[in-house]
Amino acid sequence: MKILLSPPLGLHEQGQRANNEDNLYPLLDKVSNSDTLFLVCDGVGGTDQGEIASAIVAQAVSKYILNKKALTPLPQIIYEAIAHAETQLQTHQQVEPSTQGMATTLALLFLTDLGATIAHIGDSRVYHIRNGVILWQTQDHSYVNELVKSGIITSVEAQSHPKRNIITRALQGSQSSVLPDLHQIEDIDAGDYFLLCTDGVLESFSEAELLDIVGSSQSDSQKIAHIRAKCQLHSRDNFTAYLIPIRSVEHLAVQLLSSVPPPRPSPQPLVKQWIMALGITALVLLGAVTWLLWPKNNSPHKVKVTSSPAAIENPPPPKMKKKIKQIE
């Protein structure tokens, strides 16, 4: 399929924190509707420089995928890109031991001819929204989400739980590799939205409120402005998001070569050809035998036409004439 975007819109702000540990790709001043790869990362570590971890991962993952996308199939390229980012984190930690505790979340959207490939680690989210309804969303790798899945607390209680910021999976450059959750979406229509966001956005909105904004009749610029304004009022964290509108989807028609072999020619013409060949051969052989058995002498025969039934007679050879006279 061929997916065309309306201009993607984003936000990336410090909020009420002393520094901004979030990062994203592409940068807001460079994004365009020709982009196919989008990431948001939420650094973890505070004094351990989480903003460095998120910057390293956003740059390493995006650069790896864009450089290798023509050579490496999905989903292998996603796993390789994340492993590459972990290596970059390890290298930085070896050079700067003070950053040993840094880590980051990752939420990724990659649009290709196969549809949308989504990967995530931690509690940064990706939503697929159509007509104000969530068709699919990532599931947080977090302590409170484990409680929700176990039925211990409700999703509403999770929003105000004192341990809601504890994540159970992150990119941190440790010796044990971390794997993302991957999801492939092929059901994409014009008018759909993908929303990537860090948890700072979710502090200010319930999912119902987010859906009301994204599904409203406002322009895309008004929608992202509405999200920014409310985050500035209510979020105590950094907040970063990308709103990606799907302008059109063209399903490419691919004509596959049939695996069925072409039909064989009818055997009837072959039978006719064999019969004709045998007939010609028989005629040639009959002619050869006749030629071999036909009487011959050194002089040509004379042909005498008479009125008798025997229309053709051969004169006797000269020696035979002498013998006939003696008998007479």
Side-chain angles (χ1 to χ4, degrees), residues 37-40 61 65 74-75 77-79 81-82 105-110 116-122 124-126 136 138-139 141 169 179-184 196:
L37 178 65
F38 301 88
L39 294 86
V40 298
V61 170
I65 291 175
L74 289 167
I77 191 172
I78 304 296
Y79 292 121
I82 289 173
T105 68
L106 169 68
L108 176 153
L109 171 69
F110 187 31
T117 300
I118 296 169
H120 89 288
I121 296 170
S124 297
R125 294 185 187 176
V126 181
W136 185 86
T138 54
Q139 295 296 316
H141 303 135
R169 201 183 301 184
L179 293 176
D181 286 351
L182 252 69
H183 187 73
Q184 181 75 27
L196 289 74

Side-chain angles (χ1 to χ4, degrees), residues 5-6 8-9 24-26 31-40 106-111 126 196 242-244:
L5 305 180
S6 296
L9 298 167
L24 78 173
Y25 179 88
V31 67
S32 74
N33 57 356
S34 63
D35 285 307
T36 58
L37 178 65
F38 301 88
L39 294 86
V40 298
L106 169 68
L108 176 153
L109 171 69
F110 187 31
L111 301 171
V126 181
L196 289 74
Y242 253 125
L243 183 64
I244 302 159

Side-chain angles (χ1 to χ4, degrees), residues 8-24:
L9 298 167
L11 52 90
H12 175 48
E13 299 195 13
Q14 182 173 322
Q16 299 180 30
R17 290 291 184 92
N19 61 325
N20 194 345
E21 294 184 300
D22 287 0
N23 264 287
L24 78 173

Side-chain angles (χ1 to χ4, degrees), residues 13-22 42-47 164-165 199-200 203 235-239:
E13 299 195 13
Q14 182 173 322
Q16 299 180 30
R17 290 291 184 92
N19 61 325
N20 194 345
E21 294 184 300
D22 287 0
D42 181 2
V44 179
T47 58
R164 63 185 179 277
N165 293 326
D199 65 340
E203 278 190 6
S235 181
R236 294 170 298 172
D237 200 354
N238 313 139
F239 51 90

Side-chain angles (χ1 to χ4, degrees), residues 64-84:
Y64 189 94
I65 291 175
L66 294 177
N67 287 342
K68 302 284 187 178
K69 64 180 180 179
L71 304 174
T72 310
L74 289 167
Q76 179 182 345
I77 191 172
I78 304 296
Y79 292 121
E80 290 183 2
I82 289 173
H84 172 69

